[in-house]
């Protein structure tokens, strides 16, 4: 029944307590991804240099912090397609993108000193498309003149540039000075907790029922759209399936409304979630 919706990330592992949180560090070239990885690991594990394109491979390092296991993957910087000329660079980018398929969360590193660019947003978009939770890290905050721009202004700019990721946390950091590196782990654990959550069918159905009663979907060719039953079919990210009479008639804005209701009533404030619709006939009508 649910096979078509299972994410490949979820089926291999159960909710065992010793599970590893897998993190991909992604971003444009030279934004400080490798510096951040070294800072987190507390050693010069990967090569850092001011030459853009230093990291070529996706480098996995497992580590443990406060009894939680993590795997962190340093990746190659991702430039805009039109500017990628060399085959080697193309391969590096493919590897970086592939690492997102193995990861739960993407740490999207942005060079705050250069400001937020379209490319930063498309990179976050790749992670989102692959079902990763995202955390924005505005790095090199030590270089930013604080009298010119405040962190709030930066984050506001980011919010308006990446509306589709308005639930993703964002903080200013410095891989160089270590500013707010511990805070990153608070966020990682919080986002992952939501990312891996399971919501029971009972409460979930009550949320949907209440939402539909409060705000009915518009009619489909004169007929009511009915929501029969909703269940969570997978996690990482939390994925819900609602059985309805006219799945294709549910407007995208109504789907968004239902998703917002699920989010706000279950506290899923920082994780991506998915909601699918599937057809189920009305029993009373179909038995006639
Ligand atoms: N001032 C300052 N410099 C930083 C910070 N983080 C990284 N840098 C510098 O930025 C340059 C690039 O750092 P890397 O860590 O190699 O960047 P990267 O994103 O891994 O780069 P690629 O692997 O080439 O994509 C280096 O000169 C770092 O010393 C920071 O927080 N503050
Ligand atoms: Mg690097």
């Amino acid at each position: 029944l649910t096979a078509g919706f299972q994410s490949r990330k979820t089926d291999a592992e159960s909710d065992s307590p010793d599970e590893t949180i897998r993190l991909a560090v992604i971003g444009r070239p030279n934004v400080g991804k490798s510096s951040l990885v070294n800072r987190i690991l507390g050693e010069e594990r990967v090569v850092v240099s001011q030459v853009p394109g230093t990291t070529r491979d996706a480098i996995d390092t497992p580590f443990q912090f406060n009894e939680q296991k993590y795997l962190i993957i340093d990746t190659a910087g991702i430039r805009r397609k039109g500017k990628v000329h060399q085959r080697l660079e193309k391969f590096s980018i493919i590897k970086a993108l592939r690492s997102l398929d193995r990861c739960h969360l993407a740490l999207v590193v942005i060079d705050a000193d250069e400001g937020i660019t379209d490319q930063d947003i498309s990179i976050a978009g790749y992670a989102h498309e692959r079902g990763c939770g995202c955390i924005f890290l505005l790095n090199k905050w030590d270089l930013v003149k604080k009298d010119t721009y405040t962190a709030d202004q930066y984050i506001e700019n980011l919010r308006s540039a990446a509306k589709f990721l308005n639930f993703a946390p964002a903080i200013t950091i410095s891989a160089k000075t270590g500013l707010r590196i511990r805070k990153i782990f608070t966020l990682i654990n919080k986002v992952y907790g939501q990312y891996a959550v399971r919501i029971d069918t009972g409460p979930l159905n009550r949320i949907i029922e209440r939402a539909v009663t409060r705000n009915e979907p518009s009619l489909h060719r004169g007929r009511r759209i009915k929501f029969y039953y909703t269940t969570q079919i997978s996690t990482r990210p939390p994925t819900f399936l609602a059985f309805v009479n006219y799945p294709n008639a549910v407007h995208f804005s109504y789907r968004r409304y239902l998703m917002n209701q699920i989010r706000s009533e279950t506290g899923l404030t920082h994780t991506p979630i998915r909601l699918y619709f599937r057809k189920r006939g009305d029993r009373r009508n179909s038995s006639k």
Side-chain angles (χ1 to χ4, degrees), residues 34 47 55 74:
S34 299
V47 182
T55 306
D74 185 21

Side-chain angles (χ1 to χ4, degrees), residues 63-172:
F63 67 102
Q64 201 158 331
F65 180 67
N66 288 343
E67 318 219 321
Q68 172 65 52
K69 288 178 188 163
Y70 302 88
L71 177 79
I72 195 160
I73 307 181
D74 185 21
T75 70
I78 302 170
R79 287 207 286 173
R80 230 182 310 137
K81 267 200 199 105
K83 293 192 175 171
V84 178
H85 299 301
Q86 298 186 348
R87 266 166 64 95
L88 186 62
E89 190 179 351
K90 247 179 226 166
F91 280 123
S92 304
I93 293 176
I94 290 169
K95 277 184 210 156
L97 294 176
R98 267 201 206 131
S99 67
L100 292 169
D101 292 330
R102 299 187 276 135
C103 282
H104 302 123
L105 307 186
L107 305 180
V108 183
V109 183
I110 294 174
D111 185 334
D113 190 42
E114 285 191 3
I116 297 152
T117 70
D118 292 348
Q119 181 62 1
D120 295 316
I121 307 302
S122 7
I123 289 169
Y126 298 140
H128 182 58
E129 278 166 25
R130 285 166 174 76
C132 296
C134 288
I135 298 173
F136 287 108
L137 302 175
L138 297 159
N139 189 36
K140 307 198 186 179
W141 194 243
D142 57 292
L143 294 179
V144 175
K145 291 197 184 68
K146 305 302 182 300
D147 47 340
T148 325
Y149 292 109
T150 66
D152 284 350
Q153 279 171 308
Y154 262 89
I155 290 167
E156 211 172 285
N157 289 348
L158 177 66
R159 292 287 171 229
S160 65
K163 292 210 175 71
F164 63 101
L165 278 171
N166 60 0
F167 54 84
I171 52 167
T172 52

Side-chain angles (χ1 to χ4, degrees), residues 174-201:
S174 170
K176 187 178 176 184
T177 69
L179 177 75
R180 278 188 280 278
I181 301 299
R182 273 177 168 270
K183 177 81 196 286
I184 299 173
F185 281 89
T186 311
L187 291 176
I188 288 170
N189 295 340
K190 187 171 180 179
V191 175
Y192 183 80
Q194 298 181 8
Y195 188 75
V197 86
R198 286 197 179 273
I199 312 280
D200 288 337
T201 299

